[in-house]
Amino acid sequence: MSEKSLKNKTALITGASRLQGIGAAIARKLATDGADIYFTYYLDYDRKMPWGVEENEPDKLQQTIQNMGVKCFKKEINLAEPENIKLLLNDVKEKLQTPDVLVNNACYSTNNNYQNIEAEELDKHYQINLRATLLLSSYFARSFEKESGGRIINLSSGQFKGPMENEIAYAATKGAVDALTISLAAELAPKGITVNAVNPGPTDTGWMAQKLKGELLKKFPQGRIGKPEDTARLVSFLASKEAEWITGEIINSEGGFKR
């Protein structure tokens, strides 16, 4: 792949609020490849999570990307509100151009199981993990007017490789993303858009306690836990011209992780 394989392309990445996160790593990598970047974030969610977030992290990410010599815009947005999704894509087009690459990275995740799951919490998972992913992909595809080069890349979590205990709502809704990827790939192939999903496996984005890291490390034959940059490199390839023949795939990029 050439160093500027995405020059003159625009990439929209959702869920890039935290500098240690996968979304931020993807945004930096696609910028390195020459793409102009538009990323979304939603600090209200991260503030409530154990890992937290600094208020200026999105600003720092934007500045880092602009220093790479490409354009970068950001927007704080709640993707659980359907009306925000069309407004988002219109804003990307207005500030940059109709996007060539969509990375559905934003997610919602809380611990729950069959004993305590209720409709309200299940709906919150569905709204972000599935509905927003599907609607963003749909509106992205409807607006895409080029003959080829469109890319939709979803973030999956390996739901079909093993159970995720105490994350039943997350597992159910993210598992649906795999099914969506396969069906949407067939529908969008005639429009010159590929659709793939990436399962990065357990990735150290700042949420892992040391005890958990020690337990997970034993299951990685390469002797380290996954990094956000590992995912970003794969997304970069899938976004490139070199990946034009790959579509409808769920790629488990887990470094040999053994469940």
Side-chain angles (χ1 to χ4, degrees), residues 3 14 22 26 30 75 81 92 99 120 128 144 150 155 160 187 193 210 225 245 253-254:
E3 185 178 346
T14 66
I22 290 175
I26 292 171
L30 298 189
K75 188 177 187 68
E81 302 295 336
V92 178
E120 182 180 3
I128 299 297
F144 188 77
L155 269 292
F160 295 103
E187 289 192 14
I193 300 172
Q210 285 302 122
I225 295 172
W245 193 238
S253 177
E254 302 184 308

Side-chain angles (χ1 to χ4, degrees), residues 69-89:
V70 301
K71 298 175 184 176
C72 181
F73 294 91
K74 68 182 189 305
K75 188 177 187 68
E76 183 164 21
I77 187 170
N78 182 5
L79 295 173
E81 302 295 336
E83 61 271 19
N84 285 344
I85 294 175
K86 279 187 178 180
L87 295 175
L88 170 62
L89 285 165

